[in-house]
Amino acid sequence: MEPLNQDTFVNTFEFKTDWKNCFENADFIKVFSSDILENYIINKRWYGGKASTLKYIEVVDYFQIRSDKHTYYGVLLEVNFKEAFYQHYFMPLAFMDKADLDTNTIIAPIKMGKQEGFLVDALHQEDFRKLLYDNIIQAKETPGLKLVFHRGSVKELSSYKTSRFMGLEQSNTSIVYNESFVLKIFRRIYVSTNPDYEISRFLTERMHFQNTPAYTGSINLLLSEGNITLGLMQELVPNQGDAWKFMLEQCDGVFTNLKSKRIKIDKLPDVAMFKRLRIQDIPPEIIDWAGLSIFLRIQTLALRTAEMHIALGSDIHETAFTPTTYNGDYTVWLKNRMLYQFQNRLNIIENSLHKLDGLALELAHQFMENKKLVRKHFVDFDWTKMKSERIRIHGDYHLGQVLVNGDDFYILDFEGEPESTIRDRKVKQPPLKDVAGMFRSFHYAIYATIFNNADKYPVEQEELFKAGEILYKYFVGVFLQTYIHTVQQNNLNIGYDHEIDFLLKYCLLEKAVYELGYELNSRPRWAVIPLRGIQSILNY
């Protein structure tokens, strides 16, 4: 370990209480939640309030958990913002002297009574990581604390050998154990079971769905107001990276072929949107340009997506996973949600026009001119015409949520859309919403390839966009053929052709409008992608 640089900290925080009683001490809680934590939390990758103004942090609950050597705390925090909303976070804490410290990532130097040491995120201590793993494999319930460790039924869990962090810390923190299992610690928490835990356990233990990392254990806190999921452990799947990276590489090869194979873009045969295509239906000019391999892989991805939805929609015993029909309550929920989101995006785009130029600005003006058409499309949802069923879905389905494993795919991360409330993430929705999410991801991969390699392909950007739109429709057609055939063969009711097309168009528009806010806030140049998507969906 590198030498610790204490110059980073202005002073050592001193408290009269000892560590084992610190959360019963009002002075400690006050200094910890304001002077210490406010400076620390805003720089963490998992902190989701960076776009808002922090007002104050409150410790709302805590529990103690002990190893043979140390006492740790699990702390539940409520972060309040000046914009009049709050978020809840989970933070495991350790107090370590220099000899026991496993990390340079410390929260603050502190003195507890007569003992000097460091306040650290406990996940950086191997002793704590081992403690969590040991408790899961022993399926331990801590009396009086309502902290429940659950061990899954499908895997042999060997005793603790090693642990390490998995990649860069994102919205959650993932720990790899014994190079065989991954424990995801949820940083942002909800007083409700996390959908990722709920769906992962269901798919593994009830449906035996093979193409998601198998559920192997969990950590839940059972409170009177509801259950909080703190951790989810799954099998570590050997992989070659995610499908987003894979698709970018594939698309780069396709666009490189424009020159090497002397493809004439204006001679490429076009196809209608949503036209279902078997491999043998793809014109030879398209196969010559894009190759056969990419379409075979899209078929496999469509098959796995269909199998996921069949599993999520085939249980008749567990109410949370029983398919249901459309009704007035769902329609009110959907329209309110869509109109609120749409108005939010209108406000963002009006405030962002000065950041845009060229095609992005032109498309933004077209979007504003057609806002009544977009709004009408959201309002025109008539549940009485819907004959299909709603099920629990992935909810945030895109190429980044899929792992490439040889020629196959594994589906990950059922936590749902980050912008949605935990309640909204559990609402049963048309499975075609996931399909639409994947189609938007195809669209992104094509355009990202064009943007990221502007000088590589000796073709005007507008011509590349034209080729990209043709390629996109073939991706969609091949995916739909396999997906629809598979779900209908297995009696998952997604409706007939007219309803399928309506729902796909509705969900594609919803996804593209959702994406628009992200792009305008973070990388305005890329707003072209959702804006072009909205334009092609509504044909204005």
Side-chain angles (χ1 to χ4, degrees):
M1 191 173 77
E2 299 273 331
L4 196 64
N5 182 8
Q6 276 190 257
D7 297 339
T8 313
F9 301 96
V10 176
N11 61 335
T12 298
F13 294 92
E14 297 190 24
F15 303 99
K16 291 179 180 173
T17 181
D18 63 9
W19 176 243
K20 289 183 180 175
N21 300 296
C22 63
F23 279 95
E24 293 164 23
N25 182 288
D27 181 48
F28 173 82
I29 291 174
K30 181 183 174 185
V31 174
F32 166 70
S33 56
S34 56
D35 298 358
I36 295 176
L37 207 51
E38 285 182 16
N39 288 327
Y40 176 78
I41 199 172
I42 55 172
N43 296 313
K44 303 311 290 179
R45 289 179 70 92
W46 45 260
Y47 174 60
K50 291 182 175 68
S52 305
T53 309
L54 193 151
K55 191 176 179 185
Y56 64 90
I57 300 173
E58 184 179 358
V59 174
V60 290
D61 211 339
Y62 68 91
F63 58 84
Q64 260 188 17
I65 178 169
R66 296 185 181 93
S67 70
D68 292 339
K69 293 163 62 180
H70 298 289
T71 298
Y72 301 99
Y73 285 97
V75 184
L76 311 188
L77 304 169
E78 183 174 285
V79 179
N80 288 266
F81 299 97
K82 288 184 179 170
E83 291 84 351
F85 73 100
Y86 59 83
Q87 296 172 343
H88 288 118
Y89 289 90
F90 170 60
M91 189 153 202
L93 287 179
F95 173 58
M96 295 287 155
D97 62 26
K98 205 164 187 175
D100 286 331
L101 201 62
D102 287 351
T103 177
N104 290 333
T105 307
I106 67 175
I107 299 171
I110 60 173
K111 186 176 181 183
M112 305 295 297
K114 294 180 179 178
Q115 191 177 2
E116 290 189 22
F118 301 93
L119 190 64
V120 297
D121 183 323
L123 291 173
H124 287 274
Q125 294 297 127
E126 186 180 15
D127 177 64
F128 181 72
R129 297 195 298 269
K130 179 179 183 299
L131 175 65
L132 294 182
Y133 183 81
D134 288 346
N135 280 356
I136 288 172
I137 65 173
Q138 292 160 18
K140 206 163 184 179
E141 292 190 27
T142 310
L145 290 182
K146 298 180 181 173
L147 185 64
V148 176
F149 293 87
H150 180 261
R151 174 178 175 155
S153 57
V154 295
K155 272 279 177 187
E156 278 294 315
L157 294 176
S158 54
S159 58
Y160 177 88
K161 296 182 185 69
T162 60
S163 63
R164 62 176 173 84
F165 289 110
M166 185 182 201
L168 285 171
E169 192 166 65
Q170 301 294 333
S171 55
N172 301 302
T173 303
S174 293
I175 299 159
V176 177
Y177 287 101
N178 297 354
E179 298 303 321
S180 300
F181 308 102
V182 180
L183 174 63
K184 182 193 294 183
I185 297 294
F186 295 106
R187 293 298 197 159
R188 188 166 172 200
I189 53 170
Y190 306 90
V191 185
S192 178
T193 50
N194 191 294
D196 199 9
Y197 155 72
E198 198 177 10
I199 293 176
S200 296
R201 187 170 177 183
F202 174 79
L203 286 175
T204 297
E205 298 196 334
R206 281 190 71 85
M207 293 294 117
H208 309 292
F209 177 61
Q210 297 298 309
N211 285 79
T212 191
Y215 168 85
T216 54
S218 58
I219 309 168
N220 284 278
L221 193 60
L222 312 187
L223 302 177
S224 55
E225 56 268 46
N227 295 354
I228 296 175
T229 308
L230 301 180
L232 166 66
M233 192 161 80
Q234 294 170 291
E235 177 185 22
L236 177 66
V237 175
N239 66 85
Q240 291 79 52
D242 63 35
W244 170 254
K245 177 171 165 276
F246 167 79
M247 188 61 89
L248 289 179
E249 290 167 357
Q250 293 290 312
C251 288
D252 180 42
V254 173
F255 284 111
T256 300
N257 286 345
L258 286 172
K259 182 185 178 185
S260 62
K261 296 192 173 185
R262 297 179 180 172
I263 304 294
K264 290 186 165 44
I265 293 170
D266 56 354
K267 293 280 196 292
L268 289 171
D270 207 343
V271 66
M273 191 64 174
F274 303 148
K275 179 175 173 57
R276 294 168 215 165
L277 299 165
R278 296 169 302 168
I279 294 287
Q280 54 265 43
D281 298 330
I282 304 171
E285 299 94 324
I286 299 297
I287 295 290
D288 182 45
W289 170 37
L292 181 62
S293 170
I294 182 64
F295 294 111
L296 293 172
R297 299 302 290 271
I298 285 171
Q299 273 191 332
T300 304
L301 182 58
L303 179 64
R304 298 302 176 226
T305 306
E307 289 168 347
M308 170 183 73
H309 286 150
I310 291 159
L312 287 171
S314 58
D315 192 272
I316 55 170
H317 303 294
E318 200 165 325
T319 315
F321 290 94
T322 308
T324 190
T325 53
Y326 291 87
N327 57 28
D329 287 347
Y330 173 78
T331 307
V332 169
W333 171 84
L334 179 68
K335 289 180 182 178
N336 285 342
R337 194 164 177 263
M338 290 300 91
L339 291 175
Y340 173 81
Q341 183 174 286
F342 179 57
Q343 188 56 51
N344 173 269
R345 270 35 178 190
L346 279 178
N347 295 341
I348 293 172
I349 206 166
E350 284 172 358
N351 293 327
S352 303
L353 287 173
H354 66 281
K355 300 178 189 173
L356 305 177
D357 56 23
L359 181 59
L361 185 60
E362 181 188 328
L363 288 169
H365 282 301
Q366 285 183 26
F367 176 76
M368 300 292 284
E369 287 161 15
N370 287 279
K371 61 186 178 186
K372 286 184 179 174
L373 181 65
V374 181
R375 186 181 280 113
K376 181 178 185 301
H377 193 76
F378 286 141
V379 172
D380 278 355
F381 189 95
D382 184 355
W383 72 270
T384 63
K385 293 179 180 175
M386 297 292 146
K387 306 303 177 196
S388 62
E389 291 181 318
R390 298 180 287 126
I391 62 169
R392 286 293 293 275
I393 62 171
H394 184 286
D396 189 28
Y397 195 49
H398 55 78
L399 290 162
Q401 308 283 40
V402 177
L403 288 179
V404 178
N405 181 313
D407 291 333
D408 211 343
F409 297 100
Y410 278 71
I411 299 166
L412 308 170
D413 195 358
F414 295 88
E415 207 169 347
E417 273 179 357
E419 259 187 45
S420 299
T421 65
I422 199 75
R423 179 183 170 277
D424 284 354
R425 297 182 204 187
K426 297 185 180 190
V427 171
K428 289 169 186 169
Q429 301 203 64
L432 290 167
K433 182 173 178 181
D434 280 346
V435 174
M438 187 54 70
F439 289 172
R440 290 298 309 140
S441 202
F442 290 166
H443 201 241
Y444 257 79
I446 289 165
Y447 274 78
T449 303
I450 295 168
F451 282 144
N452 291 338
N453 300 278
D455 304 325
K456 185 175 176 181
Y457 317 122
V459 181
E460 290 296 318
Q461 192 175 72
E462 196 50 49
E463 284 292 289
L464 291 171
F465 289 160
K466 186 177 169 185
E469 289 293 332
I470 292 170
L471 182 66
Y472 171 62
K473 284 185 262 189
Y474 282 101
F475 283 0
V476 165
V478 169
F479 188 104
L480 276 181
Q481 170 62 31
T482 297
Y483 176 83
I484 292 171
H485 174 75
T486 306
V487 295
Q488 289 181 339
Q489 288 284 100
N490 287 273
N491 300 316
L492 181 66
N493 182 2
I494 60 168
Y496 293 106
D497 292 0
H498 179 73
E499 185 172 344
I500 289 170
D501 287 357
F502 171 79
L503 285 170
L504 273 174
K505 193 172 172 183
Y506 194 97
C507 294
L508 278 167
L509 188 63
E510 176 189 348
K511 285 284 182 184
V513 168
Y514 175 85
E515 294 157 4
L516 188 55
Y518 176 82
E519 299 304 351
L520 288 169
N521 283 327
S522 58
R523 45 185 186 187
R525 179 167 157 264
W526 284 45
V528 166
I529 306 177
L531 285 167
R532 179 62 72 88
I534 293 164
Q535 181 195 50
S536 64
I537 293 159
L538 294 180
N539 295 316
Y540 57 66

